[in-house]
């Protein structure tokens, strides 16, 4: 039996950031991780990209805040987490151009250095067929980071502030006893006044241990790698908004993907090579040279997104479950949003309410209502909430 102020469940990038920000605010933190070490869930299978080009203020704030945190990490904390601003190029079809320009203005008003470029200028960054495109937007601060380095950096800094990180320690039961939570692992019981559920795609299952409902499910995603093609490897992260096909250079190869397969919502990190045909069909009209690209199965991989019903994360206190905090369901954007997630969760726990940005659109109440009550009237008793 041990005690802490906060138990953080999950040592992916989100749990690691939460642990650091809470420990830095003086909370005694214990991190419980089911696997052998950190970043072994979705975090270790990410495409590792970060972008501030979103259409809504909350996602822009979360992701742009994350990019700036990664950009400044070494200067602030003395650790290089592999931030590389290779840029995002979004190829925009004619019917989305006006909306896209409005989103770009919103991003710029929030400090994001994004600009519109012509299709011809986009074609200088990646050879493409211009059919149906109105233009493109380019943000040179978007790019990539090393999720393993970031996760271990956050955990290392949390430890320096006194946190304990326990691997091979799955939460197997969770009870609310008076004003404390008791989290049991096969080897120990940790009691704390607060629990942070940062278990990614397992967050629903873990919340269920405490009788709570958190609608997050796994959704498999695959990244296909080319064989080494040094002449093309400087391609920025490029998304064709006509189809959703994306491609980028990495270490002398091209990495690409497209959407998610419709299959049972369970954890599945096996690669379905047949899916490559769907990916190529989505990309080949825009990038006909894909047809000659040699692919490398051994360098390709799969993992799962941790998806919520509206693809926004759950961040903040759980209604009706005093001391329970959600930090989960980042729906495929947890790497770029983890720095802000940790900051906001620490504010929510320590200050009683997140204040760096308004997180009302991220609170779980946005999706729930009690049986028989009109929407927008959430209430205590999270287990009863209807989604
Ligand atoms: C192919 C792919 C590409 C992606 N590309 C990007 C990208 O470019 N940019 C981006 O931002 N995001 C991307 N993502 C998404 C990103 O990886 C996730 O959003 C992020 O890693 C979520 O982090 P997390 O800490 O919430 O979850 P995870 O990393 O899954 O961590 C959750 C942890 O909880 C642990 N756990 C589970 N159950 C228990 C339990 N009972 N007790 C204790 N611990 C438990 C798990 O073992 C795991 O380590 C991608 C994901 C995939 C699969």
């Amino acid at each position: 039996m041990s005690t802490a102020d906060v138990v953080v469940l999950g040592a992916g990038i989100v749990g690691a950031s939460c642990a650091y920000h809470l420990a830095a605010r003086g909370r005694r933190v214990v991190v419980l991780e089911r696997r052998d070490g950190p970043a072994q869930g979705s975090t270790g299978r990410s495409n590792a990209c970060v972008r501030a080009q979103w259409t809504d203020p909350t996602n822009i704030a979360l992701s742009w805040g994350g990019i700036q945190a990664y950009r400044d990490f070494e200067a602030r904390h003395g650790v290089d987490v592999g931030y590389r601003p290779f840029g995002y190029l979004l190829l925009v079809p004619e019917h989305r151009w006006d909306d896209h320009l409005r989103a770009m203005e919103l991003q710029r008003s929030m400090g994001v250095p994004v600009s519109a470029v012509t299709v011809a200028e986009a074609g200088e960054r990646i050879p493409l067929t211009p059919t149906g495109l109105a233009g493109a937007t380019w943000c040179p601060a978007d790019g990539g980071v090393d999720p393993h380095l970031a996760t271990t950096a956050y955990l290392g800094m949390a430890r320096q502030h006194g946190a304990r990180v326990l691997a091979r320690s799955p939460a197997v039961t969770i009870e609310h006893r008076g004003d404390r939570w008791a989290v049991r692992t096969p080897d120990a019981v940790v009691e704390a006044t607060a629990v942070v559920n940062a278990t990614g795609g397992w967050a629903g299952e873990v919340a269920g241990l405490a009788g709570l409902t958190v609608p997050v499910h796994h959704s498999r995603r695959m990244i296909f790698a080319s064989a080494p093609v040094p002449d093309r490897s400087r391609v920025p992260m490029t998304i064709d908004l006509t189809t959703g096909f994306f491609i980028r250079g990495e270490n002398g190869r091209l990495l690409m993907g497209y959407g998610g397969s419709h299959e049972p919502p369970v954890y599945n990190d096996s690669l379905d090579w047949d899916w490559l045909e769907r990916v190529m069909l989505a990309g080949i009209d825009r990038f006909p040279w894909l047809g000659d690209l040699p692919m490398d199965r051994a360098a390709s991989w799969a993992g799962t997104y941790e998806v919520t019903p509206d693809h926004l994360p759950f961040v903040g206190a759980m209604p009706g479950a005093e001391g329970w905090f959600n930090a989960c369901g980042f729906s495929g954007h947890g790497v770029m949003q983890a720095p802000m997630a940790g900051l906001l969760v620490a504010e929510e726990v320590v200050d009683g309410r997140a204040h760096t940005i308004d997180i009302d659109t991220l609170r779980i109440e946005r999706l729930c209502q009690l049986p028989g009550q009109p929407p927008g009237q959430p209430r205590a008793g999270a287990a009863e909430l209807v989604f």
Side-chain angles (χ1 to χ4, degrees), residues 304-320:
T304 60
Y305 278 11
E306 65 296 8
V307 178
T308 67
D310 62 358
H311 295 256
L312 282 170
F314 296 129
V315 180
M318 184 80 173

Side-chain angles (χ1 to χ4, degrees), residues 9-378:
L9 302 176
I13 197 162
V14 173
S17 173
C18 291
Y20 161 66
H21 284 95
L22 284 160
R25 297 285 311 268
R27 291 300 181 268
R28 292 175 305 140
V29 174
V30 172
V31 181
L32 298 178
E33 166 54 47
R34 180 172 65 182
R35 297 198 181 204
D36 292 343
Q40 294 187 12
S42 294
T43 298
R45 299 192 157 266
S46 162
N47 198 20
C49 292
V50 295
R51 76 172 144 105
Q53 294 189 67
W54 289 86
T55 55
D56 65 291
T58 309
N59 268 313
I60 296 169
L62 287 177
S63 298
W64 180 226
I67 289 170
Q68 292 175 92
Y70 290 134
R71 182 195 65 196
D72 300 341
F73 215 95
E74 188 164 14
R76 290 189 60 195
H77 306 297
V79 186
D80 176 6
V81 292
Y83 168 65
R84 288 160 300 139
F86 48 68
Y88 259 65
L89 183 69
L90 304 188
L91 306 176
V92 190
E94 280 148 8
H95 72 280
R96 291 180 64 176
W97 186 238
D98 289 345
D99 286 346
H100 202 76
L101 287 182
R102 270 191 289 279
M104 186 187 75
E105 287 312 319
L106 177 63
Q107 293 150 22
R108 289 172 69 90
S109 74
M110 295 174 70
V112 180
V114 56
S115 56
V117 299
T118 64
V119 177
E121 287 166 333
E124 288 166 16
R125 298 190 183 275
I126 179 170
L128 55 80
T129 303
T131 312
L133 290 180
T137 54
W138 166 249
C139 178
D142 290 345
V145 68
D146 185 323
H148 292 91
L149 287 179
T151 304
T152 51
Y154 274 131
L155 290 175
M157 297 190 308
R159 281 198 192 92
Q160 284 168 8
H161 287 282
R164 285 187 296 146
V165 183
L166 306 179
R168 292 180 291 278
S169 299
V172 290
T173 67
I174 306 176
E175 285 174 55
H176 205 188
R177 298 176 183 161
D179 63 349
R180 300 184 76 75
W181 292 92
V183 182
R184 183 180 296 276
T185 73
D187 305 316
V189 178
V190 185
E191 280 199 353
T193 46
V195 171
V196 174
N197 184 6
T199 51
W202 294 272
E205 183 185 312
V206 169
L209 297 175
L212 303 173
T213 303
V214 175
V216 178
H217 69 268
H218 293 286
S219 176
R220 181 164 62 151
R221 292 294 189 284
M222 288 167 258
I223 305 288
F224 294 91
S226 74
V229 280
D231 55 322
R232 291 222 192 274
S233 66
R234 292 179 64 82
V235 165
M237 178 65 167
T238 305
I239 306 179
D240 183 359
L241 298 185
T242 309
T243 58
F245 174 86
F246 61 86
I247 187 164
R248 73 177 178 94
E250 170 79 42
N251 259 342
R253 300 173 187 269
L254 288 167
L255 303 177
M256 66 202 81
Y258 158 73
S261 52
H262 296 285
E263 54 191 11
V266 294
Y267 186 72
N268 181 356
D269 61 6
S270 64
L271 187 71
D272 176 0
W273 193 248
D274 291 341
W275 188 253
L276 176 60
E277 189 181 342
R278 297 282 293 274
V279 174
M280 287 298 179
L281 283 174
I284 203 146
D285 286 347
R286 183 74 62 216
F287 310 109
W289 44 268
L290 287 175
D292 300 324
L293 196 66
M295 300 300 292
D296 185 345
R297 187 173 182 145
S300 306
W301 76 93
T304 60
Y305 278 11
E306 65 296 8
V307 178
T308 67
D310 62 358
H311 295 256
L312 282 170
F314 296 129
V315 180
M318 184 80 173
E322 182 74 29
W324 184 281
F325 297 87
N326 297 307
C328 53
F330 285 81
S331 303
H333 311 114
V335 169
M336 63 184 89
Q337 300 187 341
M340 287 296 287
L343 176 72
L344 294 164
V345 165
E347 290 176 355
E348 190 86 347
V349 173
V350 178
D351 304 329
R353 192 167 175 88
H355 46 81
T356 294
I357 64 166
D358 180 353
I359 63 165
D360 281 355
T361 52
L362 305 177
R363 295 182 185 280
I364 197 165
E365 297 96 304
R366 72 182 186 270
L367 291 181
C368 41
Q369 65 184 91
L370 279 176
Q373 286 193 350
Q377 304 276 317

